Amino acid sequence: MSPINERTRKRSLGQFFIPSPIADYMASLFSDRYLEHVRLLDAGAGAGALASAFVKVMCQRDKKPLRIDITAFERDDAVVPHLRDTLEECRHRCV
């Protein structure tokens, strides 16, 4: 697909991918209050940058949550395999 067509497709889907430093910053804004069970809703998840940064932040805490649930939505079928890979990496990060 040409770069112009790709931009048009992304614009029609409302896609704006978050660079890692921005995702890290956003994840750092979550409360540092301890919770045994945390949940993240990632609407328009893309390849999972925010979910990945969130899990990284949670797992760096002195007292980690016992459970992290992520509900991620992505409507671009081309990106979904990357999102699945990212969520699988997240599953193993805190173990």
Side-chain angles (χ1 to χ4, degrees):
M1 185 176 292
S2 77
I4 292 172
N5 289 340
E6 180 67 11
R7 265 186 268 142
T8 302
R9 186 177 72 78
K10 285 181 180 182
R11 190 173 299 135
S12 73
L13 290 170
Q15 288 181 326
F16 301 95
F17 292 109
I18 300 172
S20 288
I22 301 293
D24 291 344
Y25 172 71
M26 291 171 65
S28 77
L29 297 175
F30 285 93
S31 170
D32 59 359
R33 183 171 63 103
Y34 172 73
L35 296 170
E36 280 188 9
H37 181 190
V38 294
R39 290 183 239 177
L40 174 71
L41 171 62
D42 193 352
L50 179 59
S52 179
F54 178 76
V55 169
K56 181 174 82 175
V57 165
M58 292 291 124
C59 293
Q60 289 174 340
R61 292 182 172 181
D62 290 334
K63 193 165 183 183
K64 299 171 182 65
L66 299 176
R67 179 178 176 156
I68 300 172
D69 288 332
I70 299 172
T71 302
F73 292 94
E74 179 51 54
R75 60 189 253 194
D76 184 351
D77 292 336
V79 179
V80 170
H82 303 289
L83 176 58
R84 283 192 182 121
D85 290 345
T86 299
L87 293 175
E88 189 60 31
E89 289 172 18
C90 288
R91 180 186 314 273
H92 300 287
R93 182 170 287 153
C94 287
V95 179

